């Protein structure tokens, strides 16, 4: 079993263990609340755990935690067990788990905002609550109940992510490291919320923004909604927990931001061209949602007035037909925007990897970061 596979298993076990302890609290209030726990468990059972793995790599990047024979984050204290096989989780496992629970909360709210029907190939949270309402024959609107209940589920997961983080901070290198990891986590929450608002704004305000600013505004959304939150922040939080120096944290920030941008650019391509069997979302979903991504900004730059009007008239229509999706996809390809985004991905990955040359990350971790950079930006459509 590889380190990354074992980390994923430990995070899954830690989340499951945590939810089990909270189940008794919630269901003691009322058995009607068991559905919150059930849906939480279902929603947290999947995913690639990229943020958890980046946090672990950040922790490992601090040399003191990667020396041969050192008690690493996956070590098992004598006489203790978790799930009878994987070992007691230490601080980094709880912190990595906190990031995954926070991510789940963000996805619940994101799906409400985007009116998404699916997540990871299954019904989104608000659709699950909507189906529950319809099946039980309750009063009122199933859609209203689904939306309101999912908002509360997201809020519950946010609170639980904070509890898991606090558990992990108890195992920090020292109190100063714990405070720094907490500050970085808090900063991440602020930045991703700001990025989410900017994403919503761009879907609606693009019409009155200067054409020359649309690409820069789309890049700003990528930076704050995804790049920092998906890659940079987990790396820095994990390293801060391990007692990283300012220089070590700056190295991870300089590596994580361009890699995070590349990761989101790849995700934007998948949102338009991805196979539903791979992405868990319908093909062309970002087109139906009207996402004003870098891909769209680059497309519009190369179109004549008529073609641009066609794109603008179709983008954001929830009822787009398969033929209309196909037509939009072809316009995007013919504009050269896909090739330009691929080039941007390559450039950002190269920028990230260049940071590692001569850096002071622990022996062996640089190679893992290089390998993982390929994993999160690989073409899969």
């Amino acid at each position: 079993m590889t380190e990354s596979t074992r980390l994923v298993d430990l995070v899954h076990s830690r989340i499951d263990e945590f939810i089990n302890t909270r189940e008794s609290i919630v269901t003691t209030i009322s058995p009607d609340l068991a559905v919150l726990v059930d849906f939480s468990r279902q929603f947290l059972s999947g995913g690639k755990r990229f943020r958890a793995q980046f946090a672990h790599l950040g922790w490992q990047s601090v040399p003191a935690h990667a020396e041969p024979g050192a008690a690493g984050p996956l070590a098992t204290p004598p006489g203790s067990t978790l799930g009878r096989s994987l070992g007691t989780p230490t601080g980094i496992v709880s912190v990595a788990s906190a990031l995954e629970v926070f991510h789940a909360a963000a996805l619940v709210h994101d799906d409400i905002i985007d009116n998404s029907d699916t997540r990871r190939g299954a019904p989104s949270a608000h659709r699950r609550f909507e189906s529950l309402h319809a099946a039980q024959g309750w009063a009122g609107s199933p859609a209203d109940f689904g939306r309101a209940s999912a908002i509360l589920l997201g809020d519950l997961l946010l609170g639980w992510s904070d509890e898991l983080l606090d558990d992990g901070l108890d195992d920090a290198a020292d109190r100063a490291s714990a405070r720094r990891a907490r500050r970085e986590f808090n900063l991440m929450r602020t930045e991703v919320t700001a990025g989410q608002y900017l994403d919503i704004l761009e879907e609606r305000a693009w019409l009155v923004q200067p054409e020359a600013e649309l690409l820069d505004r789309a890049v700003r959304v990528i930076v704050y909604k995804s790049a920092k939150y998906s890659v940079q922040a987990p790396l820095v939080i994990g390293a801060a927990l391990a007692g990283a120096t300012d220089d070590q944290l700056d190295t991870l920030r300089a590596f994580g931001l361009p890699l995070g941008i590349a990761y989101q650019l790849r995700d934007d391509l998948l949102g338009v061209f991805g196979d539903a069997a791979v992405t868990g979302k319908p093909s062309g979903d970002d087109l139906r949602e009207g996402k004003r991504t870098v891909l769209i900004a680059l497309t519009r730059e190369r179109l004549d007035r008529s073609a641009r009007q066609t794109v603008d008239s179709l983008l954001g229509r929830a009822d787009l037909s398969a033929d209309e999706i196909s037509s939009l996809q072809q316009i995007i390809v013919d504009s050269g925007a896909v090739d330009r985004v691929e080039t941007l991905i390559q450039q950002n990955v190269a920028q990230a990897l260049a940071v590692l040359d001569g850096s002071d990350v622990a022996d062996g971790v640089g190679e893992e970061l290089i390998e993982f950079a390929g994993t999160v930006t690989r073409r899969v459509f």
Side-chain angles (χ1 to χ4, degrees):
M1 181 184 294
T2 65
E3 280 287 284
S4 61
T5 301
R6 191 165 185 224
L7 184 276
V8 168
D9 287 341
L10 282 169
V11 166
H12 178 77
S13 296
R14 180 68 182 104
I15 291 172
D16 197 49
E17 174 191 70
F18 179 86
I19 292 177
N20 287 342
T21 64
R22 296 307 180 270
E23 182 173 18
S24 60
I25 298 173
V26 172
T27 55
T28 296
I29 298 171
S30 170
D32 291 332
L33 298 174
V35 66
L36 292 175
V37 178
D38 291 342
F39 284 179
S40 295
R41 188 175 283 114
Q42 293 167 23
F43 207 71
L44 284 161
S45 64
K48 300 179 182 67
R49 309 294 193 203
F50 282 157
R51 289 159 187 81
Q53 294 187 67
F54 276 123
H56 180 225
L57 286 169
W59 196 96
Q60 286 185 310
S61 73
V62 181
H65 292 279
E67 295 172 356
L74 306 186
T76 305
S80 63
T81 62
L82 172 68
R84 299 183 180 179
S85 62
L86 290 177
T88 300
T90 57
I92 187 57
V93 177
S94 287
V95 169
S97 300
L99 288 166
E100 290 298 322
V101 175
F102 178 85
H103 180 51
L107 293 181
V108 169
H109 287 160
D110 195 47
D111 286 342
I112 298 169
I113 292 168
D114 292 337
N115 292 312
S116 296
D117 294 330
T118 59
R119 170 64 62 180
R120 295 170 181 163
S124 51
H126 60 286
R127 296 303 184 206
R128 294 184 188 215
F129 282 111
E130 185 177 328
S131 295
L132 175 66
H133 180 287
Q136 297 297 322
W138 294 335
S141 164
D144 289 348
F145 177 83
R147 185 168 53 252
S149 299
I151 290 171
L152 293 173
L153 176 64
D155 290 346
L156 182 66
L157 292 170
L158 282 173
W160 282 353
S161 71
D162 230 36
E163 293 182 53
L164 275 164
L165 181 74
D166 286 341
D167 287 349
L169 296 184
D170 290 340
D171 235 1
D174 50 55
R175 291 185 64 183
S177 299
R179 287 195 297 270
R180 172 169 267 178
R182 163 56 77 180
R183 286 197 301 271
E184 294 294 342
F185 187 86
N186 291 346
L187 177 62
M188 176 195 71
R189 290 189 306 191
T190 297
E191 288 180 336
V192 73
T193 303
Q196 179 68 77
Y197 176 78
L198 291 174
D199 189 34
I200 298 169
L201 179 66
E202 291 309 308
E203 290 177 24
R204 293 154 178 82
W206 66 271
L207 189 61
V208 298
Q209 301 298 340
E211 193 72 32
E213 294 181 9
L214 294 182
L215 178 58
D216 287 342
R217 293 173 73 92
V219 170
R220 186 175 62 179
V221 171
I222 278 185
V223 168
Y224 288 99
K225 184 185 176 185
S226 181
K228 285 176 170 283
Y229 155 64
S230 298
V231 180
Q232 188 189 65
L235 281 168
V236 171
I237 291 167
L241 185 77
T245 65
D246 288 344
D247 286 345
Q248 288 167 336
L249 293 179
D250 286 344
T251 295
L252 292 175
R253 288 190 182 98
F255 169 82
L257 184 59
L259 181 59
I261 291 172
Y263 168 75
Q264 185 56 45
L265 289 171
R266 171 65 63 214
D267 198 60
D268 288 345
L269 286 174
L270 292 173
V272 173
F273 299 99
D275 183 349
V278 175
T279 66
K281 289 277 196 174
S283 181
D285 211 36
D286 280 4
L287 300 175
R288 294 187 181 90
E289 292 173 7
K291 296 292 184 184
R292 290 282 162 172
T293 61
V294 167
L295 178 66
I296 295 301
L298 292 175
T299 297
R300 295 178 82 259
E301 283 183 353
R302 296 288 182 88
L303 299 180
D304 60 29
R305 183 181 182 86
S306 175
R308 188 181 296 175
Q309 288 176 341
T310 298
V311 168
D312 291 341
S313 67
L314 293 175
L315 196 65
R317 271 183 38 197
D319 62 346
L320 284 178
S321 67
D323 286 344
E324 287 169 330
I325 291 286
S326 179
S327 176
L328 276 171
Q329 289 171 333
Q330 193 60 54
I331 290 173
I332 292 168
V333 171
D334 291 344
S335 75
V338 173
D339 291 337
R340 294 171 72 188
V341 169
E342 290 288 357
T343 298
L344 285 173
I345 290 172
Q346 294 171 14
Q347 290 172 343
N348 277 278
V349 170
Q351 181 182 339
L353 298 185
V355 172
L356 299 178
D357 291 339
S359 70
D360 59 352
V361 299
D363 290 343
V365 178
E367 288 79 1
E368 289 187 63
L369 288 170
I370 291 171
E371 181 180 353
F372 208 53
T375 298
V376 301
T377 58
R378 187 174 297 123
R379 182 172 187 145
V380 292
F381 65 91

